[in-house]
Amino acid sequence: MDKNGSNNRSHLHKIISYVLDKDSNGKGYMTLAVKKLVDYAFHTLSLHRLEAGVMPHNVGSIRVLEKAGFHKEGIAKSNVKINGEWKDHQILAIINPND
């Protein structure tokens, strides 16, 4: 039951985001962190879904999410404004398998 007394958990989803210093790239730190986050989100918080948006050219970040069980869902056009320019985002998500 949620804080409003409802058993409707359809709203129990969150968007995740992360940043890692470039000197730490490729060492598995973020993959481990995202896997632990997924475990906590699904087993402790009982969330239904996690979602992340990644620049389509950021292959390393896409790979981190895929290793943690996320799947590509599509491209969100003009989703994020970076340096004054609207950019697309690759959307990846994972659904709680126990839900």
Side-chain angles (χ1 to χ4, degrees):
M1 195 168 293
D2 68 16
K3 66 181 179 181
N4 297 317
S6 170
N7 284 325
N8 180 359
R9 296 177 52 243
S10 63
H11 64 283
L12 294 176
H13 67 277
K14 298 295 176 196
I15 296 172
I16 70 165
S17 180
Y18 50 84
V19 177
L20 185 66
D21 182 86
K22 67 179 181 178
D23 293 336
S24 296
N25 285 350
K27 297 181 180 175
Y29 301 140
M30 195 53 66
T31 298
L32 178 62
V34 172
K35 285 180 178 181
K36 288 190 177 289
L37 174 71
V38 169
D39 183 66
Y40 182 78
F42 289 166
H43 294 103
T44 302
L45 300 178
S46 298
L47 295 181
H48 172 69
R49 171 186 168 94
L50 294 174
E51 183 177 305
V54 179
M55 298 294 291
H57 65 270
N58 190 342
V59 178
S61 191
I62 291 170
R63 189 70 191 118
V64 162
L65 293 165
E66 289 175 335
K67 286 180 182 179
F70 284 70
H71 300 279
K72 291 180 181 177
E73 291 193 329
I75 300 291
K77 296 290 191 182
S78 297
N79 192 49
V80 177
K81 197 170 196 177
I82 299 173
N83 297 325
E85 188 176 340
W86 286 102
K87 301 288 186 175
D88 297 346
H89 252 179
Q90 172 71 58
I91 304 300
L92 295 97
I94 186 171
I95 306 294
N96 188 337
N98 300 314
D99 227 4

